[in-house]
Amino acid sequence: MESFFQNLNPIMQGFLATLFTWWMTMLGAAMVFFFKNINQRVLNGMLGFASGVMIAASFWSLLDPAIELSKKIGVASWKPALIGFLCGGFFLWSVDKILPHLHLNQKISSAEGIKTKWRRSALLVLAITLHNIPEGLAVGVAFGAASLDGDSTSLVAAIALAIGIGLQNFPEGAAVSIPLRREGMGRMKAFLYGQASGIVEPIAAVIGVVFVIKMTYLLPYALSFAAGAMIYVVAEELIPTAKEIRHDDSGTIGVMLGFAMMMFLDVALA
């Protein structure tokens, strides 16, 4: 099975890896069939965990490889990392201002982006979809980089990134479907809305792989771009949402655990 995956086209590798992350989103969304409510502190811990995973992945899976690759190709090591990172954040900031969406636990009057009459459920799904774009892109870029590097270690690192992203997608799926169920939506419909937010990841992954393969010289910039986009999501949405209850440490503990787990996957498996 391992050799089969290694021999696949990198586009197919990235696609299959993000099918796994989408599947994990579906698994999380399926929790709506068992629970109608979710304790806010548990939700905070789950969102904190997702934040920790994304922060660790942004450095070990994306920024650090971008810096090392810059050295190999004779570019100032700081340049692609800095430019790509800021461009990634700016891209998400721009999309955030345009795409209508609503963060968790917010009233519909607090919806961001272009004003619309869309329902609360659609706005919630769009909010999660928005930060699934850089996750899928990050996995795609990682597999594209591994194919160009030709090193099995790079492929293992890309797989580790996909596993980490998949694990943190589980709470994200639940964080969409269960609140929708609590607001009166049927279980099946809430599940479908919850899993829908993950559809964008395989699409973004394929785009990331193709971009890297076609424009090899931009690889360190692409890696850093994905890192900047993920950190923007963490700072803009995940951590603030996980810290809405004052004097609650569950979100902070979640960040620590998520960071530690992703660090282990990246360092121990590489």
Side-chain angles (χ1 to χ4, degrees):
M1 185 67 179
E2 181 180 349
S3 60
F4 168 76
F5 189 79
Q6 289 178 341
N7 293 328
L8 287 175
N9 181 287
I11 295 176
M12 183 57 66
Q13 289 177 340
F15 180 72
L16 290 177
T18 44
L19 280 184
F20 163 73
T21 64
W22 179 19
W23 180 78
M24 290 298 290
T25 304
M26 293 176 63
L27 198 61
M31 292 298 101
V32 75
F33 293 113
F34 305 97
F35 305 100
K36 185 174 181 179
N37 294 295
I38 183 170
N39 183 279
Q40 187 62 44
R41 284 181 168 80
V42 172
L43 179 60
N44 289 348
M46 294 165 71
L47 293 175
F49 180 85
S51 301
V53 168
M54 292 176 71
I55 293 170
S58 294
F59 177 73
W60 271 284
S61 298
L62 300 169
L63 282 175
D64 188 48
I67 293 170
E68 292 302 316
L69 182 60
S70 299
K71 294 176 182 177
K72 290 181 181 179
I73 63 177
V75 178
S77 58
W78 58 268
K79 189 176 179 180
L82 178 63
I83 294 175
F85 183 83
L86 292 177
C87 286
F90 178 75
F91 171 75
L92 256 290
W93 176 83
S94 301
V95 175
D96 200 47
K97 299 301 179 186
I98 298 172
L99 185 69
H101 63 284
L102 180 67
H103 297 306
L104 293 172
N105 301 327
Q106 299 293 316
K107 297 180 179 179
I108 195 166
S109 58
S110 301
E112 300 179 23
I114 297 174
K115 298 301 180 184
T116 177
K117 294 183 179 179
W118 292 352
R119 298 178 63 179
R120 174 182 172 83
S121 54
L123 294 172
L124 280 171
V125 172
L126 279 174
I128 303 297
T129 302
L130 179 61
H131 75 239
N132 279 345
I133 294 174
E135 293 173 11
L137 183 64
V139 174
V141 169
F143 277 99
S147 71
L148 295 173
D149 190 24
D151 187 352
S152 61
T153 301
S154 298
L155 180 60
V156 172
I159 294 172
L161 174 61
I163 292 172
I165 294 296
L167 290 176
Q168 64 94 35
N169 274 0
F170 180 88
E172 288 183 358
V176 175
S177 63
I178 293 178
L180 291 177
R181 172 60 180 161
R182 186 173 60 231
E183 292 175 6
M185 184 177 288
R187 293 183 190 275
M188 178 57 71
K189 191 173 182 180
F191 165 74
L192 292 175
Y193 271 101
Q195 63 82 34
S197 62
I199 294 176
V200 72
E201 290 193 7
I203 299 171
V206 170
I207 293 172
V209 176
V210 172
F211 178 82
V212 166
I213 293 176
K214 297 295 184 182
M215 302 182 184
T216 307
Y217 64 95
L218 291 178
L219 177 54
Y221 293 93
L223 288 165
S224 304
F225 180 94
M230 289 213 296
I231 291 296
Y232 180 88
V233 167
V234 171
E236 165 69 11
E237 180 178 353
L238 295 184
I239 289 181
T241 303
K243 297 296 292 181
E244 284 186 345
I245 300 179
R246 295 183 62 187
H247 310 303
D248 173 36
D249 295 330
S250 56
T252 303
I253 294 171
V255 171
M256 298 296 292
L257 293 176
F259 188 97
M261 188 210 70
M262 191 66 227
M263 179 172 61
F264 167 76
L265 288 175
D266 255 318
V267 179
L269 300 182

